[in-house]
Amino acid sequence: MFRPKLPDTPHVPSITTQVPPPHAPAPSAGRPVAPFVGVGVGAVAAVVVVGVVLTALLAAVAVSAISVAIAAVVLRSLVTGANRR
């Protein structure tokens, strides 16, 4: 009464595979692959372009930060040198 009743398993038909002769051409799937390849190439190109742009922006920020740091050190040395005189 409290045990679950499992459904009966249907009879699985035997599977036979038919190997085509080696000289027969492979059957086509019916859909061309070219549109999917074009989409893949476009996506890869977009990722590469975005990566290059982000890398360039990161390099620009790094160069700007280094320039500001150098300017701060120079100004600091000029200000402390003026106070000593």
Side-chain angles (χ1 to χ4, degrees):
M1 182 170 137
F2 292 109
R3 291 187 177 184
K5 184 177 180 184
L6 300 176
D8 295 333
T9 57
H11 175 67
V12 179
S14 62
I15 299 173
T16 58
T17 58
Q18 182 179 10
V19 178
H23 63 278
S28 102
R31 280 200 230 163
V33 181
F36 300 113
V37 172
V39 170
V41 170
V44 169
V47 168
V48 168
V49 168
V50 168
V52 168
V53 169
L54 290 178
T55 304
L57 288 174
L58 181 64
V61 168
V63 168
S64 299
I66 291 171
S67 300
V68 168
I70 291 172
V73 168
V74 169
L75 286 175
R76 182 178 173 190
S77 68
L78 288 175
V79 168
T80 56
N83 289 339
R84 289 183 189 170
R85 293 181 192 159

